[in-house]
Amino acid sequence: MAEALLQIGEPGQTRPKRACRTRAVGIDLGTTNSLVAVVDGGKPVCLADEHGDPIVPSVVHYAADGAVAVGADARDRLAPQFPRDTVASVKRFMGRGPKDAEATRRLTPYQFAPGDGTVVRFAVAGGRAVTSMEVSAEILKVLKARAEGELGGPLAGAVITVPAYFDDGQRQATRDAGRLAGLEVLRLLNEPTAAAVAYGLDKQAEGTFAVFDLGGGTFDVSILKLEDGVFEVKSTGGDSALGGDDFDRAIAELLLRKLREAAPHDRPIAALAAANAAVTDLPTARRWRQVLDAARAMKEALTFRADAAADLVTDDGPVTVGLTRTEMELAVQPVLARCAPPVRQALADAGVDAEALSGVILVGGATRMPLVQQFVEKLFGRAPLGDIDPDQVVALGAALQADALAGGSTEGDMLLLDVVPLSLGLETMGGVVEKLVHRNTTVPCGATQTFTTFADKQTGFDLHVVQGERELADQCRSLARFTLKGIPPMPAGMARLEVTFTVDANGLLRVAAREETTGRETAVEVKPSYGLTDQEVERMLLDSFAHAEEDVQARQLTEQRIEADRIAAAARAAMADTPELLTGDDRRAIDAALAQLGAVRAGDDHQAIRRAVEGLDEASKAFAARRMNVAFERGLRGRDVGAVEAKADETAAGKRHAGHQHERGH
Ligand code: ADP
Ligand code: MG
């Protein structure tokens, strides 16, 4: 009864080379190199080109006739000839505005086209201006075509990896690039998490692992806990401006010094050597690229050999420069040393000692260098794991995740937990930040907090959402501002605003606010404008440690001032309200205390303000007791009970408000 079914393909579709359960792919969209992988027969594999090479260099050339070339040919043949029309390391520009990207651009031969000021546009051949999303989309299209060829049809979707440190703007830009390439982006996955997925599933590993990812342009370190098939990122750290590219630059500068002696008449080389590799014009840019490429090739060769040489073209004719591994290691050592502080920070954030780790996973081509492996071993006190190719491990993990998300069978119930890289909060009175979601909280997550009005008869709330570790809002990154209006006028502290933050699995934030008595609501999708560089994220983190003491002082001062103003206003209002209950002594004592408070309020001694507040409290004690008694007697006589209760409530609410201000100084 077995009946042979012959498969007939759709016209135009290639015959599948693989029979995968899902047509979902994992993509490592790297700064330097990109890869695509699928799960075939339960095992993830990277898809190779016709030469068997799985790596697509992330280099895109735009020709004057409109043709676009991606990969090794663009990098090796076209980039040296057309440096301005051949975009490499575009990932460094993802989610960046022209202003932020300018510093990065200066290290490259590229030119920015004038734009609307929010997105970077590269001016390339044919009078075109392409955004970083479009450039990335060209790389994705090549990977997509490769996968479609192997799978014999359109893809179900893709998981694209991003550095753990990518902020919302950079993640958004990556997702947009995927859309531009015609891909359904199933998930943006952190690269170190993807690496752990690859290792965890292959080895059934359990325990706490560190992922050390040194690629071409970014350095990421993550501490991950693997348990019962759950991958939890305990902390992340890194530096998005640190990688093999920086090694290449350091080596190229060394080569320039050597070249200057060998080719003294070469003007671009002399200019570069003198101006610390500053690129000024096209011939100089070409020369610089040639030297950079030689530096990269020699660096990679020195992983396997003790010395290397390169033949370079100069105005003095061809020159051969040699480089030993020792020379190279001396040149890159200072760059490599910059990996240590983020590692220590990530360990501290995760609350683990290096000795407690179950293993260290190496990711990224630069971790092939013997010097890097020695460095990692010394840093963590153990030899790193090296079973999976560090070039492929991220794409392999992404493929496993894509397969699981698209409904494949591989550990379908696999759960991935990631974290918020920087705290999310709201600005409160006096510019102080109330953090709702703390750094390294597992996503998806949410938090709700109730806020109250500061002023009497306040009819609106101005909400300012910020991200960062500092205590004051103007030192954090501003994410969004919005207003909740139409609240009926009430005494200060009576309106209750419930604010809810929700962060989804991709790390995108949503904020909702609701005033409890009126039920008024508002919500915003928080989409950060292109703007913050990862160095800024890093710097904000480092700053928060350096300024922790200063911030606490500033915060206490702000809070004391707010309390001083409230108490002074309340005292004045009470005196105006019931002057008949005020003795001459009371008035003199309260006036003196108010004057004292006014005198210290402007100063920066929060203790003095606190003492003055206590002084005013003391001076108005008898008066306050009398007011209480009168209100109470009225209540006992059955007159105006509601009013008394309302007043008592108001006092209690005021106290709560003041108490809340103290509690926040955690
Ligand atoms: P990315 O994730 O940024 O795309 P990769 O993980 O592909 O980067 O790493 C690229 C970097 O690794 C480049 O700087 C490249 O020169 C370097 N690299 C690749 N192979 C080697 C090697 N054998 N020795 C030293 N460095 C290498
Ligand atoms: Mg990488």
Side-chain angles (χ1 to χ4, degrees):
M1 75 168 253
E3 200 178 316
L5 284 178
L6 295 180
Q7 294 180 334
I8 298 174
E10 231 175 273
Q13 280 188 2
T14 30
R15 209 154 48 84
K17 293 181 191 143
R18 293 176 186 277
C20 300
R21 271 177 287 239
T22 65
R23 282 196 185 140
V25 299
I27 292 178
D28 173 3
L29 183 61
T31 311
T32 321
N33 298 309
S34 298
L35 299 93
V36 59
V38 296
V39 175
D40 186 359
K43 273 205 154 325
V45 281
C46 284
L47 304 178
D49 65 6
E50 64 275 19
H51 309 296
D53 190 353
I55 289 175
V56 176
S58 307
V59 181
V60 181
H61 171 73
Y62 292 87
D65 65 0
V68 178
V70 177
D73 189 46
R75 182 189 67 188
D76 300 335
R77 188 176 62 86
L78 297 164
Q81 259 180 288
F82 310 100
R84 278 183 188 165
D85 306 318
T86 313
V87 185
S89 298
V90 69
K91 193 167 173 178
R92 284 190 186 272
F93 295 95
M94 290 293 271
R96 293 282 161 264
K99 260 200 202 131
D100 297 314
E102 184 54 29
T104 310
R105 191 201 62 80
R106 260 187 247 124
L107 299 167
T108 74
Y110 314 134
Q111 301 218 303
F112 286 166
D116 57 7
T118 60
V119 187
V120 167
R121 283 173 199 281
F122 297 93
V124 292
R128 267 180 303 168
V130 291
T131 65
S132 47
M133 279 84 83
E134 292 168 283
V135 178
S136 296
E138 294 298 342
I139 302 164
L140 291 172
K141 281 183 211 165
V142 168
L143 300 171
K144 178 174 172 251
R146 179 180 292 184
E148 284 175 346
E150 290 250 358
L151 300 176
L155 302 182
V159 167
I160 304 179
T161 59
V162 290
Y165 250 59
F166 257 24
D167 68 25
D168 287 348
Q170 292 167 301
R171 285 168 199 261
Q172 200 66 51
T174 305
R175 176 183 287 247
D176 291 346
R179 285 202 203 110
L180 288 173
L183 286 168
E184 157 116 37
V185 182
L186 301 170
R187 179 70 57 87
L188 298 173
L189 184 63
N190 284 341
E191 288 159 10
T193 308
V197 169
Y199 263 98
L201 292 180
D202 280 359
K203 312 282 176 205
Q204 300 300 322
E206 296 239 316
T208 305
F209 289 78
V211 179
F212 185 99
D213 178 351
L214 192 59
T218 53
F219 168 56
D220 280 300
V221 55
S222 296
I223 309 300
L224 305 127
K225 203 171 152 201
L226 281 68
E227 200 175 36
D228 302 329
V230 175
F231 297 72
E232 187 185 359
V233 181
K234 302 299 280 184
S235 68
T236 66
D239 185 339
S240 74
L242 179 58
D245 289 354
D246 302 280
F247 290 171
D248 298 349
R249 262 191 286 280
I251 298 164
E253 279 167 28
L254 172 62
L255 293 182
L256 279 179
R257 288 197 291 278
K258 291 189 171 213
L259 270 170
R260 200 178 181 180
E261 286 160 28
H265 305 295
D266 189 289
R267 195 203 55 79
I269 287 172
L272 282 165
N276 250 341
V279 177
T280 48
D281 51 46
L282 209 54
T284 315
R286 285 203 180 120
R287 201 63 102 232
W288 178 233
R289 175 160 295 275
Q290 181 192 236
V291 177
L292 270 179
D293 286 347
R296 175 171 48 81
M298 291 163 102
K299 173 193 72 178
E300 291 178 8
L302 289 172
T303 287
F304 311 102
R305 313 207 320 242
D307 47 60
D311 294 324
L312 298 170
V313 182
T314 74
D315 291 345
D316 292 350
V319 170
T320 303
V321 280
L323 189 71
T324 68
R325 184 190 278 173
T326 311
E327 281 178 308
M328 189 270 294
E329 291 182 345
L330 276 173
V332 305
Q333 184 67 54
V335 181
L336 182 57
R338 286 165 50 204
C339 292
V343 166
R344 292 199 190 97
Q345 187 60 51
L347 285 169
D349 285 348
V352 291
D353 294 328
E355 302 88 72
L357 295 173
S358 306
V360 180
I361 299 170
L362 289 182
V363 178
T367 64
R368 297 181 160 207
M369 290 167 75
L371 181 72
V372 176
Q373 292 180 3
Q374 288 155 22
F375 176 84
V376 171
E377 185 162 350
K378 229 165 131 192
L379 198 58
F380 289 96
R382 71 175 65 233
L385 302 173
D387 314 42
I388 306 182
D389 184 343
D391 279 330
Q392 300 191 8
V393 62
V394 168
L396 297 175
L400 287 168
Q401 178 68 4
D403 189 58
L405 286 173
S409 66
T410 333
E411 312 288 311
D413 54 356
M414 173 171 65
L415 190 60
L416 277 181
L417 302 174
D418 256 318
V419 297
V420 176
L422 289 170
S423 301
L424 295 158
L426 269 188
E427 176 173 353
T428 61
M429 207 51 212
V432 176
V433 176
E434 176 71 19
K435 287 172 186 157
L436 270 83
V437 176
H438 286 265
R439 185 158 75 97
N440 284 334
T441 304
T442 305
V443 295
C445 62
T448 298
Q449 177 123 347
T450 307
F451 294 84
T452 186
T453 40
F454 172 73
D456 281 332
K457 305 194 176 70
Q458 194 173 323
T459 57
F461 283 99
D462 272 329
L463 295 167
H464 184 202
V465 185
V466 297
Q467 186 164 26
E469 302 314 308
R470 300 293 300 272
E471 300 280 335
L472 300 177
D474 61 5
Q475 290 158 345
C476 291
R477 174 174 196 196
S478 170
L479 287 185
R481 286 176 190 275
F482 61 102
T483 305
L484 184 64
K485 285 203 197 85
I487 297 160
M490 284 181 258
M494 290 300 282
R496 297 180 69 79
L497 183 72
E498 197 183 81
V499 180
T500 303
F501 278 26
T502 322
V503 185
D504 71 13
N506 294 303
L508 301 174
L509 171 69
R510 191 184 149 81
V511 178
R514 183 172 174 278
E515 200 287 306
E516 285 179 2
T517 51
T518 58
R520 274 191 185 270
E521 293 184 30
T522 183
V524 283
E525 204 70 62
V526 178
K527 205 176 146 187
S529 46
Y530 305 115
L532 189 73
T533 66
D534 288 351
Q535 288 100 299
E536 279 178 287
V537 173
E538 262 290 286
R539 208 195 56 226
M540 286 158 88
L541 275 177
L542 292 175
D543 271 359
S544 77
F545 300 119
H547 295 280
E549 183 63 21
E550 203 180 299
D551 280 354
V552 169
Q553 294 285 337
R555 184 177 186 137
Q556 283 173 336
L557 183 61
T558 305
E559 291 178 358
Q560 278 305 330
R561 281 185 186 149
I562 291 169
E563 200 179 344
D565 293 350
R566 284 184 56 83
I567 297 257
R572 288 199 180 95
M575 289 203 290
D577 188 31
T578 51
E580 70 279 5
L581 299 179
L582 207 55
T583 68
D585 279 353
D586 284 338
R587 186 177 285 282
R588 269 187 298 280
I590 294 171
D591 280 344
L594 279 170
Q596 169 63 16
L597 186 58
V600 296
R601 188 210 174 278
D604 54 13
D605 183 352
H606 69 89
Q607 310 266 27
I609 303 175
R610 185 192 297 267
R611 280 195 300 274
V613 165
E614 283 164 8
L616 176 58
D617 211 32
E618 190 59 40
S620 54
K621 233 181 194 155
F623 173 50
R626 243 171 274 131
R627 271 168 62 82
M628 253 335 234
N629 280 340
V630 168
F632 205 65
E633 278 163 22
R634 266 190 213 142
L636 285 183
R637 284 201 300 269
R639 275 178 50 199
D640 216 359
V641 179
V644 173
E645 278 175 354
K647 229 168 209 164
D649 268 343
E650 201 178 321
T651 319
K655 287 242 167 70
R656 264 206 308 276
H657 183 104
H660 176 65
Q661 299 278 345
H662 287 302
E663 277 159 28
R664 285 210 320 258
H666 36 220

